[in-house]
Amino acid sequence: MHGGRDVANDASTVFDLVILGGGSGGYAAALRAAQLGLDVALIEKDKLGGTCLHRGCIPTKALLHAGEVADQSRESAEFGVKTSFEGIDMAGVHKYKDGVISGLYKGLQGLVASRKVTYVEGAGHLSSPTSVDVNGQRYEGRHILLATGSVPKSLPGLTIDHERIISSDDALVMDRVPKSAIILGGGVIGVEFASVWKSFGADVTVVEGLKHLVPAEDENSSKLLERAFRKRGIKFNLGTFFDKAEYTDGGVKVTLADGKEFEAEVLLVAIGRGPVSEGLGYEEAGVAVDRGFVTVDEYCRTGVPTISAVGDLIPTLQLAHVGFAEGILVAERLAGLNPVPVDYAGVPRVTYCNPEVASVGLTEEQAKERYGADKVVTLKYNLAGNGKSKILKTAGEVKLVQERDGAVVGVHMVGDRMGEQVAEAQLIYNWEALPAEVAQLIHAHPTQTEALGEAHLALAGKPLHSHD
């Protein structure tokens, strides 16, 4: 029995939608489609919630918060509070982390059950453009949604042994804090784990082949993060690519293309995540695949009329909230609504290291490419002028990118809790706000959101707590 239906004994059953993969994109599509009256089957080989809930967003942010608590206990004397830091109890950290995951997991299971979604546990395989096989049973659908997600990537010749050379999945369940760690990759995953381990007391070195940390962000944000990491004692080597890794008596030695060597107890391979598509019958059913990613249009449609794909499986931003949006888009399209395609530039992006890096819209470089260098105006507002940021003892900036005499097309922020400010930045970009329109809005004092208001006041030509 699945969702109240005896599927195995009902060969005539044809679902409106069969979803392969129960991560962010898959379950969002299932919930929305069921809400719109479609008959839905959701197939997942592991746990409902996928990478984000069990091996990604939620557990990493729980670790980051534990690291924040550790840092606060060390630094409490700066605020006149006497505490002592006695160390990290990883068993206790995992109990806290797993408790967060467990509560969300139970809630999600309840949601799926309440929407009468037929939930199937097992490894599915696309058997035709209108069917998925799992556990020896065929599930027929008028439409199929592929949402099989991603797994950590490695490099040719670099074998993840799950002990000394590890992936982010391994790092999330380590029973100890490594004394030292090399992190290969300075993107979101790499800098978040660098931040966690430094807060936990490890000696950390990040190796990034490109010229900046978080290279997808505005260059100013990258430089601010690098400055903050130096202050925290997090080491990094930029602009030279990885060559090889070798075992040593005490751990791992990494050699770069220029011959430079680094040694540590563990090597975390954090070069990104690759799509899960191989061996699942996609290409046999006529689905186009490029470097493992399923090819789709702006409505998440593949070249096969009965098949769509969402989430990390397609070459869009690998963010859980993008998966949610794409899953909802597909569900609403199949239900006969007229959803608007996702504007990926308008998606908020947050890296939850200390300090946080948050952005929405175009970088300065992207804006100049689109509009021309002479048509782009930028403004930086230093958090030193923001009262709440001073109270929190955080440093950073808000940077605005504007099309000259037009809308704000990019907002880039670095500092503690900037992820909580990105919602307003999202509205500014997506509603094509002019600086003067934001400047007339009154922001509560003292809050960090004031920094956004002050930046727009300055860009509108009437700065308050900043110099002309």
PDB file of all heavy atoms in Angstrom, residues 247-281:
ATOM      1  N   TYR A 247      49.677   9.890   0.350  1.00  0.00           N
ATOM      2  CA  TYR A 247      49.598   9.588   1.772  1.00  0.00           C
ATOM      3  C   TYR A 247      50.948   9.831   2.440  1.00  0.00           C
ATOM      4  O   TYR A 247      52.001   9.605   1.847  1.00  0.00           O
ATOM      5  CB  TYR A 247      49.172   8.141   2.003  1.00  0.00           C
ATOM      6  CG  TYR A 247      47.766   7.834   1.574  1.00  0.00           C
ATOM      7  CD1 TYR A 247      47.499   6.793   0.691  1.00  0.00           C
ATOM      8  CD2 TYR A 247      46.695   8.574   2.053  1.00  0.00           C
ATOM      9  CE1 TYR A 247      46.210   6.489   0.287  1.00  0.00           C
ATOM     10  CE2 TYR A 247      45.392   8.291   1.667  1.00  0.00           C
ATOM     11  CZ  TYR A 247      45.157   7.251   0.779  1.00  0.00           C
ATOM     12  OH  TYR A 247      43.879   6.973   0.384  1.00  0.00           O
ATOM     13  N   THR A 248      50.895  10.310   3.667  1.00  0.00           N
ATOM     14  CA  THR A 248      52.083  10.438   4.500  1.00  0.00           C
ATOM     15  C   THR A 248      51.855   9.631   5.775  1.00  0.00           C
ATOM     16  O   THR A 248      50.758   9.087   5.988  1.00  0.00           O
ATOM     17  CB  THR A 248      52.343  11.908   4.874  1.00  0.00           C
ATOM     18  OG1 THR A 248      51.250  12.376   5.705  1.00  0.00           O
ATOM     19  CG2 THR A 248      52.446  12.783   3.630  1.00  0.00           C
ATOM     20  N   ASP A 249      52.869   9.552   6.625  1.00  0.00           N
ATOM     21  CA  ASP A 249      52.696   8.824   7.888  1.00  0.00           C
ATOM     22  C   ASP A 249      51.577   9.429   8.727  1.00  0.00           C
ATOM     23  O   ASP A 249      50.841   8.716   9.416  1.00  0.00           O
ATOM     24  CB  ASP A 249      54.004   8.843   8.689  1.00  0.00           C
ATOM     25  CG  ASP A 249      55.087   8.002   8.037  1.00  0.00           C
ATOM     26  OD1 ASP A 249      54.744   7.146   7.196  1.00  0.00           O
ATOM     27  OD2 ASP A 249      56.271   8.221   8.356  1.00  0.00           O
ATOM     28  N   GLY A 250      51.454  10.756   8.650  1.00  0.00           N
ATOM     29  CA  GLY A 250      50.467  11.417   9.498  1.00  0.00           C
ATOM     30  C   GLY A 250      49.200  11.869   8.799  1.00  0.00           C
ATOM     31  O   GLY A 250      48.324  12.456   9.434  1.00  0.00           O
ATOM     32  N   GLY A 251      49.096  11.636   7.492  1.00  0.00           N
ATOM     33  CA  GLY A 251      47.893  12.099   6.796  1.00  0.00           C
ATOM     34  C   GLY A 251      48.055  12.148   5.298  1.00  0.00           C
ATOM     35  O   GLY A 251      48.253  11.123   4.651  1.00  0.00           O
ATOM     36  N   VAL A 252      48.020  13.373   4.744  1.00  0.00           N
ATOM     37  CA  VAL A 252      48.003  13.557   3.291  1.00  0.00           C
ATOM     38  C   VAL A 252      48.914  14.726   2.917  1.00  0.00           C
ATOM     39  O   VAL A 252      48.965  15.733   3.635  1.00  0.00           O
ATOM     40  CB  VAL A 252      46.572  13.862   2.781  1.00  0.00           C
ATOM     41  CG1 VAL A 252      46.549  13.985   1.258  1.00  0.00           C
ATOM     42  CG2 VAL A 252      45.595  12.787   3.225  1.00  0.00           C
ATOM     43  N   LYS A 253      49.612  14.572   1.795  1.00  0.00           N
ATOM     44  CA  LYS A 253      50.392  15.674   1.227  1.00  0.00           C
ATOM     45  C   LYS A 253      49.797  16.042  -0.121  1.00  0.00           C
ATOM     46  O   LYS A 253      49.595  15.179  -0.973  1.00  0.00           O
ATOM     47  CB  LYS A 253      51.866  15.294   1.054  1.00  0.00           C
ATOM     48  CG  LYS A 253      52.708  16.423   0.450  1.00  0.00           C
ATOM     49  CD  LYS A 253      54.193  16.102   0.470  1.00  0.00           C
ATOM     50  CE  LYS A 253      54.557  15.038  -0.554  1.00  0.00           C
ATOM     51  NZ  LYS A 253      56.024  14.825  -0.629  1.00  0.00           N
ATOM     52  N   VAL A 254      49.535  17.318  -0.317  1.00  0.00           N
ATOM     53  CA  VAL A 254      48.978  17.823  -1.571  1.00  0.00           C
ATOM     54  C   VAL A 254      50.055  18.632  -2.286  1.00  0.00           C
ATOM     55  O   VAL A 254      50.702  19.491  -1.684  1.00  0.00           O
ATOM     56  CB  VAL A 254      47.740  18.708  -1.313  1.00  0.00           C
ATOM     57  CG1 VAL A 254      47.331  19.477  -2.571  1.00  0.00           C
ATOM     58  CG2 VAL A 254      46.575  17.858  -0.815  1.00  0.00           C
ATOM     59  N   THR A 255      50.233  18.336  -3.572  1.00  0.00           N
ATOM     60  CA  THR A 255      51.172  19.079  -4.402  1.00  0.00           C
ATOM     61  C   THR A 255      50.400  19.838  -5.468  1.00  0.00           C
ATOM     62  O   THR A 255      49.516  19.273  -6.122  1.00  0.00           O
ATOM     63  CB  THR A 255      52.188  18.136  -5.068  1.00  0.00           C
ATOM     64  OG1 THR A 255      52.834  17.353  -4.066  1.00  0.00           O
ATOM     65  CG2 THR A 255      53.234  18.924  -5.860  1.00  0.00           C
ATOM     66  N   LEU A 256      50.739  21.116  -5.645  1.00  0.00           N
ATOM     67  CA  LEU A 256      50.081  21.943  -6.650  1.00  0.00           C
ATOM     68  C   LEU A 256      50.883  21.953  -7.946  1.00  0.00           C
ATOM     69  O   LEU A 256      52.019  21.473  -7.999  1.00  0.00           O
ATOM     70  CB  LEU A 256      49.904  23.373  -6.122  1.00  0.00           C
ATOM     71  CG  LEU A 256      49.142  23.525  -4.808  1.00  0.00           C
ATOM     72  CD1 LEU A 256      48.902  25.001  -4.515  1.00  0.00           C
ATOM     73  CD2 LEU A 256      47.832  22.758  -4.828  1.00  0.00           C
ATOM     74  N   ALA A 257      50.299  22.510  -8.979  1.00  0.00           N
ATOM     75  CA  ALA A 257      50.922  22.516 -10.301  1.00  0.00           C
ATOM     76  C   ALA A 257      52.254  23.256 -10.316  1.00  0.00           C
ATOM     77  O   ALA A 257      53.113  22.980 -11.154  1.00  0.00           O
ATOM     78  CB  ALA A 257      49.961  23.136 -11.317  1.00  0.00           C
ATOM     79  N   ASP A 258      52.453  24.200  -9.391  1.00  0.00           N
ATOM     80  CA  ASP A 258      53.714  24.949  -9.335  1.00  0.00           C
ATOM     81  C   ASP A 258      54.734  24.301  -8.398  1.00  0.00           C
ATOM     82  O   ASP A 258      55.795  24.870  -8.132  1.00  0.00           O
ATOM     83  CB  ASP A 258      53.471  26.398  -8.908  1.00  0.00           C
ATOM     84  CG  ASP A 258      52.856  26.515  -7.511  1.00  0.00           C
ATOM     85  OD1 ASP A 258      52.621  25.471  -6.863  1.00  0.00           O
ATOM     86  OD2 ASP A 258      52.602  27.653  -7.068  1.00  0.00           O
ATOM     87  N   GLY A 259      54.413  23.110  -7.898  1.00  0.00           N
ATOM     88  CA  GLY A 259      55.331  22.388  -7.027  1.00  0.00           C
ATOM     89  C   GLY A 259      55.154  22.658  -5.547  1.00  0.00           C
ATOM     90  O   GLY A 259      55.757  21.981  -4.708  1.00  0.00           O
ATOM     91  N   LYS A 260      54.345  23.618  -5.183  1.00  0.00           N
ATOM     92  CA  LYS A 260      54.127  23.938  -3.767  1.00  0.00           C
ATOM     93  C   LYS A 260      53.428  22.764  -3.084  1.00  0.00           C
ATOM     94  O   LYS A 260      52.530  22.127  -3.663  1.00  0.00           O
ATOM     95  CB  LYS A 260      53.291  25.205  -3.649  1.00  0.00           C
ATOM     96  CG  LYS A 260      53.226  25.785  -2.234  1.00  0.00           C
ATOM     97  CD  LYS A 260      52.428  27.080  -2.197  1.00  0.00           C
ATOM     98  CE  LYS A 260      53.141  28.189  -2.946  1.00  0.00           C
ATOM     99  NZ  LYS A 260      52.410  29.482  -2.804  1.00  0.00           N
ATOM    100  N   GLU A 261      53.821  22.473  -1.839  1.00  0.00           N
ATOM    101  CA  GLU A 261      53.275  21.325  -1.115  1.00  0.00           C
ATOM    102  C   GLU A 261      52.622  21.747   0.203  1.00  0.00           C
ATOM    103  O   GLU A 261      53.069  22.696   0.852  1.00  0.00           O
ATOM    104  CB  GLU A 261      54.394  20.314  -0.817  1.00  0.00           C
ATOM    105  CG  GLU A 261      55.013  19.709  -2.064  1.00  0.00           C
ATOM    106  CD  GLU A 261      56.148  18.746  -1.748  1.00  0.00           C
ATOM    107  OE1 GLU A 261      56.671  18.783  -0.595  1.00  0.00           O
ATOM    108  OE2 GLU A 261      56.519  17.967  -2.636  1.00  0.00           O
ATOM    109  N   PHE A 262      51.576  21.031   0.557  1.00  0.00           N
ATOM    110  CA  PHE A 262      50.889  21.238   1.832  1.00  0.00           C
ATOM    111  C   PHE A 262      50.630  19.875   2.462  1.00  0.00           C
ATOM    112  O   PHE A 262      50.301  18.912   1.764  1.00  0.00           O
ATOM    113  CB  PHE A 262      49.546  21.957   1.625  1.00  0.00           C
ATOM    114  CG  PHE A 262      49.659  23.300   0.971  1.00  0.00           C
ATOM    115  CD1 PHE A 262      49.593  23.419  -0.416  1.00  0.00           C
ATOM    116  CD2 PHE A 262      49.838  24.451   1.732  1.00  0.00           C
ATOM    117  CE1 PHE A 262      49.698  24.659  -1.028  1.00  0.00           C
ATOM    118  CE2 PHE A 262      49.943  25.689   1.127  1.00  0.00           C
ATOM    119  CZ  PHE A 262      49.877  25.794  -0.251  1.00  0.00           C
ATOM    120  N   GLU A 263      50.751  19.792   3.786  1.00  0.00           N
ATOM    121  CA  GLU A 263      50.465  18.542   4.491  1.00  0.00           C
ATOM    122  C   GLU A 263      49.447  18.780   5.594  1.00  0.00           C
ATOM    123  O   GLU A 263      49.426  19.839   6.226  1.00  0.00           O
ATOM    124  CB  GLU A 263      51.747  17.946   5.088  1.00  0.00           C
ATOM    125  CG  GLU A 263      52.729  17.444   4.046  1.00  0.00           C
ATOM    126  CD  GLU A 263      53.848  16.617   4.656  1.00  0.00           C
ATOM    127  OE1 GLU A 263      53.599  15.971   5.705  1.00  0.00           O
ATOM    128  OE2 GLU A 263      54.953  16.603   4.085  1.00  0.00           O
ATOM    129  N   ALA A 264      48.595  17.779   5.796  1.00  0.00           N
ATOM    130  CA  ALA A 264      47.574  17.876   6.840  1.00  0.00           C
ATOM    131  C   ALA A 264      47.075  16.490   7.202  1.00  0.00           C
ATOM    132  O   ALA A 264      47.388  15.494   6.523  1.00  0.00           O
ATOM    133  CB  ALA A 264      46.411  18.755   6.376  1.00  0.00           C
ATOM    134  N   GLU A 265      46.270  16.425   8.243  1.00  0.00           N
ATOM    135  CA  GLU A 265      45.694  15.145   8.677  1.00  0.00           C
ATOM    136  C   GLU A 265      44.673  14.628   7.666  1.00  0.00           C
ATOM    137  O   GLU A 265      44.613  13.436   7.391  1.00  0.00           O
ATOM    138  CB  GLU A 265      45.032  15.338  10.049  1.00  0.00           C
ATOM    139  CG  GLU A 265      44.415  14.082  10.626  1.00  0.00           C
ATOM    140  CD  GLU A 265      43.702  14.343  11.946  1.00  0.00           C
ATOM    141  OE1 GLU A 265      44.063  15.302  12.656  1.00  0.00           O
ATOM    142  OE2 GLU A 265      42.762  13.591  12.257  1.00  0.00           O
ATOM    143  N   VAL A 266      43.859  15.540   7.124  1.00  0.00           N
ATOM    144  CA  VAL A 266      42.842  15.125   6.145  1.00  0.00           C
ATOM    145  C   VAL A 266      42.820  16.098   4.972  1.00  0.00           C
ATOM    146  O   VAL A 266      43.198  17.270   5.095  1.00  0.00           O
ATOM    147  CB  VAL A 266      41.429  15.061   6.769  1.00  0.00           C
ATOM    148  CG1 VAL A 266      41.345  14.006   7.857  1.00  0.00           C
ATOM    149  CG2 VAL A 266      40.977  16.418   7.285  1.00  0.00           C
ATOM    150  N   LEU A 267      42.364  15.584   3.851  1.00  0.00           N
ATOM    151  CA  LEU A 267      42.113  16.396   2.664  1.00  0.00           C
ATOM    152  C   LEU A 267      40.625  16.310   2.348  1.00  0.00           C
ATOM    153  O   LEU A 267      40.099  15.217   2.101  1.00  0.00           O
ATOM    154  CB  LEU A 267      42.924  15.881   1.475  1.00  0.00           C
ATOM    155  CG  LEU A 267      42.549  16.428   0.086  1.00  0.00           C
ATOM    156  CD1 LEU A 267      42.751  17.944   0.020  1.00  0.00           C
ATOM    157  CD2 LEU A 267      43.352  15.731  -1.009  1.00  0.00           C
ATOM    158  N   LEU A 268      39.940  17.447   2.406  1.00  0.00           N
ATOM    159  CA  LEU A 268      38.528  17.506   2.028  1.00  0.00           C
ATOM    160  C   LEU A 268      38.433  17.939   0.569  1.00  0.00           C
ATOM    161  O   LEU A 268      38.893  19.029   0.210  1.00  0.00           O
ATOM    162  CB  LEU A 268      37.769  18.496   2.915  1.00  0.00           C
ATOM    163  CG  LEU A 268      36.342  18.853   2.477  1.00  0.00           C
ATOM    164  CD1 LEU A 268      35.453  17.621   2.428  1.00  0.00           C
ATOM    165  CD2 LEU A 268      35.742  19.921   3.380  1.00  0.00           C
ATOM    166  N   VAL A 269      37.846  17.096  -0.260  1.00  0.00           N
ATOM    167  CA  VAL A 269      37.657  17.421  -1.672  1.00  0.00           C
ATOM    168  C   VAL A 269      36.313  18.130  -1.801  1.00  0.00           C
ATOM    169  O   VAL A 269      35.254  17.526  -1.634  1.00  0.00           O
ATOM    170  CB  VAL A 269      37.694  16.151  -2.545  1.00  0.00           C
ATOM    171  CG1 VAL A 269      37.531  16.523  -4.021  1.00  0.00           C
ATOM    172  CG2 VAL A 269      39.004  15.397  -2.336  1.00  0.00           C
ATOM    173  N   ALA A 270      36.378  19.431  -2.076  1.00  0.00           N
ATOM    174  CA  ALA A 270      35.163  20.261  -2.106  1.00  0.00           C
ATOM    175  C   ALA A 270      35.130  21.052  -3.401  1.00  0.00           C
ATOM    176  O   ALA A 270      34.999  22.270  -3.400  1.00  0.00           O
ATOM    177  CB  ALA A 270      35.135  21.189  -0.896  1.00  0.00           C
ATOM    178  N   ILE A 271      35.226  20.331  -4.518  1.00  0.00           N
ATOM    179  CA  ILE A 271      35.284  20.990  -5.825  1.00  0.00           C
ATOM    180  C   ILE A 271      33.916  21.073  -6.497  1.00  0.00           C
ATOM    181  O   ILE A 271      33.820  21.441  -7.665  1.00  0.00           O
ATOM    182  CB  ILE A 271      36.276  20.276  -6.762  1.00  0.00           C
ATOM    183  CG1 ILE A 271      35.860  18.813  -6.963  1.00  0.00           C
ATOM    184  CG2 ILE A 271      37.690  20.364  -6.209  1.00  0.00           C
ATOM    185  CD1 ILE A 271      36.609  18.120  -8.072  1.00  0.00           C
ATOM    186  N   GLY A 272      32.877  20.744  -5.736  1.00  0.00           N
ATOM    187  CA  GLY A 272      31.530  20.844  -6.292  1.00  0.00           C
ATOM    188  C   GLY A 272      30.826  19.506  -6.330  1.00  0.00           C
ATOM    189  O   GLY A 272      31.347  18.483  -5.853  1.00  0.00           O
ATOM    190  N   ARG A 273      29.628  19.517  -6.888  1.00  0.00           N
ATOM    191  CA  ARG A 273      28.799  18.320  -6.946  1.00  0.00           C
ATOM    192  C   ARG A 273      28.418  18.031  -8.399  1.00  0.00           C
ATOM    193  O   ARG A 273      28.174  18.944  -9.181  1.00  0.00           O
ATOM    194  CB  ARG A 273      27.533  18.503  -6.096  1.00  0.00           C
ATOM    195  CG  ARG A 273      27.815  18.761  -4.626  1.00  0.00           C
ATOM    196  CD  ARG A 273      26.535  18.919  -3.827  1.00  0.00           C
ATOM    197  NE  ARG A 273      25.727  17.709  -3.838  1.00  0.00           N
ATOM    198  CZ  ARG A 273      25.862  16.710  -2.974  1.00  0.00           C
ATOM    199  NH1 ARG A 273      26.793  16.761  -2.028  1.00  0.00           N
ATOM    200  NH2 ARG A 273      25.088  15.645  -3.041  1.00  0.00           N
ATOM    201  N   GLY A 274      28.394  16.740  -8.726  1.00  0.00           N
ATOM    202  CA  GLY A 274      28.045  16.325 -10.080  1.00  0.00           C
ATOM    203  C   GLY A 274      26.682  15.660 -10.125  1.00  0.00           C
ATOM    204  O   GLY A 274      26.234  15.055  -9.135  1.00  0.00           O
ATOM    205  N   PRO A 275      25.986  15.752 -11.262  1.00  0.00           N
ATOM    206  CA  PRO A 275      24.626  15.206 -11.379  1.00  0.00           C
ATOM    207  C   PRO A 275      24.598  13.684 -11.323  1.00  0.00           C
ATOM    208  O   PRO A 275      25.539  13.019 -11.766  1.00  0.00           O
ATOM    209  CB  PRO A 275      24.172  15.706 -12.753  1.00  0.00           C
ATOM    210  CG  PRO A 275      25.446  15.871 -13.528  1.00  0.00           C
ATOM    211  CD  PRO A 275      26.465  16.336 -12.519  1.00  0.00           C
ATOM    212  N   VAL A 276      23.515  13.145 -10.782  1.00  0.00           N
ATOM    213  CA  VAL A 276      23.283  11.704 -10.747  1.00  0.00           C
ATOM    214  C   VAL A 276      22.371  11.348 -11.927  1.00  0.00           C
ATOM    215  O   VAL A 276      21.160  11.579 -11.865  1.00  0.00           O
ATOM    216  CB  VAL A 276      22.643  11.268  -9.415  1.00  0.00           C
ATOM    217  CG1 VAL A 276      22.324   9.768  -9.443  1.00  0.00           C
ATOM    218  CG2 VAL A 276      23.545  11.598  -8.249  1.00  0.00           C
ATOM    219  N   SER A 277      22.960  10.843 -12.988  1.00  0.00           N
ATOM    220  CA  SER A 277      22.167  10.518 -14.184  1.00  0.00           C
ATOM    221  C   SER A 277      22.610   9.228 -14.860  1.00  0.00           C
ATOM    222  O   SER A 277      21.852   8.640 -15.643  1.00  0.00           O
ATOM    223  CB  SER A 277      22.255  11.668 -15.202  1.00  0.00           C
ATOM    224  OG  SER A 277      23.606  11.906 -15.580  1.00  0.00           O
ATOM    225  N   GLU A 278      23.812   8.778 -14.566  1.00  0.00           N
ATOM    226  CA  GLU A 278      24.359   7.617 -15.264  1.00  0.00           C
ATOM    227  C   GLU A 278      23.636   6.331 -14.870  1.00  0.00           C
ATOM    228  O   GLU A 278      23.359   6.082 -13.699  1.00  0.00           O
ATOM    229  CB  GLU A 278      25.854   7.487 -14.957  1.00  0.00           C
ATOM    230  CG  GLU A 278      26.555   6.425 -15.778  1.00  0.00           C
ATOM    231  CD  GLU A 278      28.054   6.382 -15.516  1.00  0.00           C
ATOM    232  OE1 GLU A 278      28.560   7.266 -14.786  1.00  0.00           O
ATOM    233  OE2 GLU A 278      28.713   5.472 -16.041  1.00  0.00           O
ATOM    234  N   GLY A 279      23.320   5.520 -15.879  1.00  0.00           N
ATOM    235  CA  GLY A 279      22.751   4.208 -15.638  1.00  0.00           C
ATOM    236  C   GLY A 279      21.311   4.200 -15.189  1.00  0.00           C
ATOM    237  O   GLY A 279      20.807   3.181 -14.703  1.00  0.00           O
ATOM    238  N   LEU A 280      20.615   5.321 -15.381  1.00  0.00           N
ATOM    239  CA  LEU A 280      19.221   5.394 -14.929  1.00  0.00           C
ATOM    240  C   LEU A 280      18.219   5.346 -16.080  1.00  0.00           C
ATOM    241  O   LEU A 280      17.023   5.544 -15.871  1.00  0.00           O
ATOM    242  CB  LEU A 280      19.011   6.676 -14.109  1.00  0.00           C
ATOM    243  CG  LEU A 280      19.794   6.744 -12.793  1.00  0.00           C
ATOM    244  CD1 LEU A 280      19.565   8.082 -12.092  1.00  0.00           C
ATOM    245  CD2 LEU A 280      19.401   5.596 -11.864  1.00  0.00           C
ATOM    246  N   GLY A 281      18.720   5.108 -17.301  1.00  0.00           N
ATOM    247  CA  GLY A 281      17.827   4.946 -18.442  1.00  0.00           C
ATOM    248  C   GLY A 281      17.424   6.234 -19.125  1.00  0.00           C
ATOM    249  O   GLY A 281      16.543   6.225 -19.996  1.00  0.00           O
TER     250      GLY A 281
END
